[in-house]
């Protein structure tokens, strides 16, 4: 089978180097990860040759890909990463992409240069206290819940109660999220609110932060953790390549 080329990202350099063997799980012999300079474009792409049609999205492979991107960030300061699993049939295809989209790549470098991506996720540890608050705060929900508990509710009442609770939970999440991120977006250059992936999650936000503001942002995150200690789990992730801002 002819080689294909697995891409990790693009960096600005004129020096072609080898970064050592890849640790991605493949059936063939692992190839060296190489920084391949694209002549005349002021860009280089980081890749390794592969005899795979695709790379399995296992946890090991995903982590390996991310670690390579992190190494590139440490060495080059800024990297425009490719999505996990990006494969090209030939180096000519890669060269053509960089040539055709050179201006777009340079704009992306300018946007993220000197910045990192930091992610905040917050979720309730137990949902029962949250639902209890919703019942206490909403009179209509409280009345309908009493009917259900007393066995006096009709089926439509139960369905409507479920919808009311779902809507109230969504509103509670949105309000809390805005309260949490208000002081953080004053420090960040930009932010992206992502979809909450569990019922208990109420904050899932990526922040684009200047490197010189990272310590100040960390302090603001610590203040958030102190303010929301009760029944809340806080996950603070990063710094990482700003993939959500490209």
């Amino acid at each position: 089978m002819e080689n294909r080329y697995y891409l990790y990202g693009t960096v600005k350099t004129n020096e072609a180097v080898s970064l050592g063997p890849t640790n991605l799980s493949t059936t063939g012999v692992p190839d060296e990860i190489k920084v391949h300079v694209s002549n005349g474009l002021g860009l280089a792409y980081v890749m390794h040759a592969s005899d795979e049609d695709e790379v399995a999205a296992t946890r090991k492979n995903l982590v390996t890909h991310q670690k390579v991107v992190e190494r590139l960030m440490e060495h080059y300061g800024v990297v425009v990463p490719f999505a996990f699993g990006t494969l090209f049939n030939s180096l000519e295809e890669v060269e053509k992409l960089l040539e055709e989209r050179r201006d777009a790549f340079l704009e992306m470098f300018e946007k993220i240069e000197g910045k990192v991506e930091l992610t905040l996720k917050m979720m309730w540890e137990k949902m029962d206290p949250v639902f209890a608050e919703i019942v206490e705060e909403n009179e209509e929900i409280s009345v309908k819940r009493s009917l259900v508990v007393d066995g006096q509710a009709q089926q439509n009442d139960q369905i409507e109660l479920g919808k009311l609770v779902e809507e109230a939970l969504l509103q509670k999440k949105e309000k809390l999220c805005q309260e949490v991120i208000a002081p953080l977006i004053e420090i960040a250059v930009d932010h992206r609110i992502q979809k909450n992936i569990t019922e208990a999650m109420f904050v899932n936000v990526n922040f684009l932060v200047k490197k010189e503001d990272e310590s100040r942002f960390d302090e603001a995150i610590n203040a958030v953790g102190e303010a929301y200690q009760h029944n809340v789990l806080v996950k603070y992730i990063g710094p990482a390549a700003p993939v959500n801002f490209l």
Side-chain angles (χ1 to χ4, degrees):
M1 181 181 295
E2 293 185 0
N3 275 342
R4 303 184 76 196
Y5 297 90
Y6 184 94
L7 273 291
Y8 294 94
T10 306
V11 296
K12 294 201 313 190
T13 183
N14 291 315
E15 182 183 6
V17 297
S18 173
L19 301 178
T22 176
N23 290 318
L24 286 177
S25 296
T26 61
T27 57
V29 177
D31 185 61
E32 295 281 306
I33 299 173
K34 298 173 183 175
V35 178
H36 195 287
V37 175
S38 185
N39 292 330
L41 297 180
L43 298 173
Y45 49 93
V46 184
M47 44 70 71
H48 76 260
S50 172
D51 58 3
E52 303 290 311
D53 288 329
E54 62 180 353
V55 178
T58 63
R59 177 175 175 79
K60 176 182 180 295
N61 283 345
L62 290 166
V63 170
T64 297
H65 177 99
Q66 181 59 31
K67 285 184 176 179
V68 172
V69 174
E70 290 171 0
R71 282 178 62 192
L72 296 174
M73 286 182 62
E74 291 173 4
H75 188 76
Y76 294 101
V78 60
V79 54
V80 174
F82 284 94
F84 173 84
T86 300
L87 285 162
F88 284 83
N89 291 320
S90 68
L91 294 180
E92 288 74 21
E93 281 189 3
V94 184
E95 293 280 356
K96 183 179 179 182
L97 172 70
L98 293 186
E99 183 176 355
E100 290 177 347
R101 301 196 60 193
R102 178 179 183 274
D103 290 344
F105 273 106
L106 292 177
E107 285 178 10
M108 286 188 278
F109 274 108
E110 184 177 354
K111 180 178 181 180
I112 66 176
E113 194 161 9
K115 305 177 186 73
V116 294
E117 181 175 312
L118 301 166
T119 299
L120 177 64
K121 299 177 186 285
M122 295 175 67
M123 58 213 76
W124 290 296
E125 294 182 306
K126 297 179 180 179
M127 290 303 296
D128 285 350
V130 179
F131 288 125
E133 285 181 7
I134 288 174
V135 172
E136 184 177 342
E137 295 165 354
N138 190 301
E139 183 177 357
E140 184 177 8
I141 290 175
S142 179
V143 170
K144 288 188 178 296
R145 180 181 180 279
S146 295
L147 291 175
V148 171
V149 171
D150 294 340
Q152 300 176 25
Q154 303 296 318
Q155 185 176 6
N156 286 343
D157 292 325
Q158 296 179 4
I159 294 172
E160 187 176 353
L161 175 60
K163 291 180 179 178
L164 288 171
V165 170
E166 184 179 0
E167 182 179 346
L169 180 62
L170 179 61
Q171 292 175 353
K172 190 177 189 70
K173 286 182 177 185
E174 291 176 347
K175 181 181 178 182
L176 271 174
C177 181
Q178 292 303 319
E179 289 177 358
V180 167
I181 69 173
L184 301 175
I185 61 178
E186 293 182 5
I187 304 171
V189 175
D190 200 356
H191 70 285
R192 297 281 187 273
I193 297 177
Q194 305 292 355
K195 182 178 180 181
N196 293 316
I197 56 178
T198 67
E199 181 183 58
M201 183 176 287
F202 59 91
V203 175
N204 186 11
V205 185
N206 310 116
F207 299 90
L208 185 65
V209 179
K210 292 180 180 178
K211 290 181 179 178
E212 66 251 35
D213 292 332
E214 194 174 342
S215 295
R216 190 156 66 99
F217 194 85
D218 290 346
E219 291 174 2
I221 289 289
N222 289 337
V224 168
E226 291 176 3
Y228 294 88
Q229 293 184 33
H230 178 66
N231 193 37
V232 172
L233 177 64
V234 179
K235 290 187 177 181
Y236 182 39
I237 305 164
V243 294
N244 288 291
F245 298 91
L246 297 174

